[in-house]
């Protein structure tokens, strides 16, 4: 049958409607650059696009809990919150449903709120967690690729506008940090103090060294590890039995690195060995691990009044 002008126009109209409908369903998400935040922060932000994600990153320890809310200004903007862990698996959300797996299921736009609230369970992992504030709903978000499925985004946006993000935490020791509170100051180890605070003759102590951001590598017995040490730390782990004895050897291979080494219990932070080589080239020590567990051998640069910013390569062996 030869198509008439009417059927041609009808087909064109249907194609235009279908194209418009497909455009509505396949939404692109505008994503902001990640913002580093801390427990106790109160942050004001703004959505300027209809389908947008604001990403906030926060460093958390295992055993902590995270409590987050996003409150819109004026009550028109509606948002949702998704929490993902260091490997980007889902932890919690303010939506109807969240599944840990390859994809997350959110629900629909009716689950967006002018005050979105999400409370995590006790966190299992240590590291950078992600707070994702969105003004839309997607039925599918792929953890592995960190991608929202454009064809599964609800075509109804929560709108644009200003909101305030409130970040609260409960630490493993029970300390509650409400939005607006300052982080508790770390209590310094009495044997670790600022060098500039010591005016006399003797050992001035050393500044604290934070291992929480370092990458831990299991050490193989009897195998020498050669590493450059500068501003970064190097961490090696060893699984010990109770009262096990091992020999730790450290040698400076190149440069003028002033090197410090400590062995600590991974779970309790108990120091079982500490030494420094500002000028010496070699060290050998007999270690006794008092209890079974994971121990961390930490290598770091030691700055003294006479040796600051040194660098070089060292070799470490445990046997």
């Amino acid at each position: 049958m030869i198509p008439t002008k009417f059927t041609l126009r009808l087909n064109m109209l249907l194609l235009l409607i279908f194209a418009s409908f497909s455009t509505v369903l396949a939404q692109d998400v505008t994503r902001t650059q990640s913002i580093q935040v801390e427990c106790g922060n109160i942050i004001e932000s703004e959505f300027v696009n209809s389908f947008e994600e604001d990403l906030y990153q926060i460093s958390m320890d295992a055993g902590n809990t995270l409590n987050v809310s996003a409150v819109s200004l004026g009550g028109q903007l509606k948002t949702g919150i998704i929490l993902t862990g260091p490997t980007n698996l889902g932890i919690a959300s303010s939506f109807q449903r969240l599944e840990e797996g390859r994809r997350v299921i959110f629900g629909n736009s009716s689950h967006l709120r002018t005050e979105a609230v999400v409370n995590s369970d006790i966190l299992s992992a240590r590291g950078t967690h992600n707070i994702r504030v969105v003004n839309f709903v997607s039925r599918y978000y792929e953890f592995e690729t960190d991608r929202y499925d454009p064809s599964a985004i609800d075509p109804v946006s929560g709108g644009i506008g200003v909101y305030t993000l409130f970040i609260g935490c409960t630490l493993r020791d029970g300390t509650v940090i409400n939005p607006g509170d300052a982080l508790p100051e770390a209590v310094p180890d009495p044997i670790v103090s600022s060098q500039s605070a010591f005016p006399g003759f003797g050992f001035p102590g050393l500044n604290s060294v934070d291992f929480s951001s370092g990458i831990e590598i299991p050490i193989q017995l009897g195998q020498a590890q050669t590493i450059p040490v500068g501003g970064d730390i190097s961490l090696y782990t060893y699984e010990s039995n109770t009262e096990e004895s091992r020999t730790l050897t450290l040698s400076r291979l190149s440069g003028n690195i002033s090197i410090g080494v400590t062995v600590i219990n991974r779970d309790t932070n108990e120091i079982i060995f500490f030494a420094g080589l500002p000028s010496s080239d070699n060290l050998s020590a007999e270690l006794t691990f008092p209890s079974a567990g994971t121990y961390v051998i930490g290598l770091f640069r030691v700055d003294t009044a006479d040796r600051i910013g040194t660098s070089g390569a060292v070799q470490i062996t445990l046997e």
Side-chain angles (χ1 to χ4, degrees):
M1 184 178 72
I2 299 175
T4 64
K5 289 184 179 180
F6 174 77
T7 56
L8 288 173
R9 289 176 180 175
L10 180 60
N11 289 337
M12 288 294 295
L13 179 61
L14 291 174
L15 286 173
L16 288 173
I17 293 174
F18 178 76
S20 300
F21 184 69
S22 299
T23 302
V24 170
L25 286 181
Q27 300 291 348
D28 289 329
V29 176
T30 302
R31 313 181 81 164
T32 62
Q33 293 184 345
S34 61
I35 302 172
Q36 300 298 318
V37 296
E38 295 180 339
C39 296
N41 282 174
I42 299 176
I43 301 167
E44 184 175 284
S45 187
E46 182 179 7
F47 285 123
V48 295
N49 296 285
S50 295
F51 299 88
E52 190 169 354
E53 177 198 87
D54 286 346
L55 176 61
Y56 302 89
Q57 295 192 313
I58 182 168
S59 179
M60 299 292 287
D61 285 332
N64 295 356
T65 60
L66 190 57
N67 317 106
V68 182
S69 61
V71 181
S72 66
L73 182 65
Q76 295 178 331
L77 169 67
K78 294 182 179 180
T79 64
I81 304 173
I82 309 134
L83 301 182
T84 58
T87 59
N88 211 39
L89 285 182
I91 294 175
S93 84
S94 62
F95 295 99
Q96 183 182 32
R97 185 179 179 189
L98 175 69
E99 288 187 353
E100 293 188 4
R102 184 170 178 271
R103 290 183 170 184
V104 58
I105 301 174
F106 292 160
N108 55 54
S109 57
S110 66
H111 300 118
L112 294 171
R113 297 285 184 267
T114 56
E115 181 175 354
V117 178
V118 61
N119 301 311
S120 76
D121 293 329
I122 295 175
L123 301 175
S124 298
R126 177 190 302 105
T128 300
H129 290 66
N130 302 301
I131 303 170
R132 303 172 183 275
V133 184
V134 297
N135 62 346
F136 65 92
V137 174
S138 173
R139 295 193 304 277
Y140 300 113
Y141 162 76
E142 296 183 348
F143 292 111
E144 296 175 355
T145 60
D146 187 17
R147 177 180 176 272
Y148 295 95
D149 185 345
S151 65
I153 293 178
D154 192 313
V156 180
S157 166
I160 61 174
V162 176
Y163 70 90
T164 303
L165 185 69
F166 298 88
I167 304 173
C169 305
T170 302
L171 306 184
R172 187 175 182 178
D173 63 4
T175 302
V176 177
I177 304 173
N178 292 311
D181 292 346
L183 283 173
E185 294 185 3
V187 179
D189 191 314
I191 68 170
V192 180
S193 59
S194 173
Q195 298 172 22
S196 61
F198 180 70
F201 171 74
F203 179 63
L206 299 173
N207 293 324
S208 301
V209 180
D210 185 5
F211 289 172
S212 61
S213 61
I215 298 175
E216 299 174 3
I217 302 172
I219 193 167
Q220 302 297 321
L221 290 176
Q223 295 186 12
Q225 304 286 332
T226 301
I227 53 170
V229 178
D232 296 331
I233 56 176
S234 297
L235 304 179
Y236 294 92
T237 58
Y238 178 66
E239 298 291 336
S240 171
N241 297 317
T242 302
E243 296 298 325
E244 182 178 346
S245 295
R246 293 291 176 185
T247 301
L248 176 68
T249 303
L250 186 66
S251 301
R252 177 167 48 199
L253 299 181
S254 64
N256 65 341
I257 179 70
S258 173
I259 187 72
V261 56
T262 186
V263 182
I264 62 175
N265 187 304
R266 184 69 182 79
D267 296 324
T268 65
N269 211 44
E270 175 190 3
I271 298 175
I272 69 166
F273 179 77
F274 170 76
L277 287 78
S279 299
S280 303
D281 291 331
N282 300 287
L283 174 146
S284 180
E286 298 296 323
L287 304 179
T288 298
F289 299 94
S291 59
T294 303
Y295 289 82
V296 175
I297 304 171
L299 304 179
F300 52 94
R301 188 186 71 205
V302 174
D303 287 337
T304 67
D306 301 320
R307 300 174 65 81
I308 298 177
T310 58
S311 62
V314 297
Q315 186 179 80
I316 182 175
T317 308
L318 185 69
E319 53 190 357

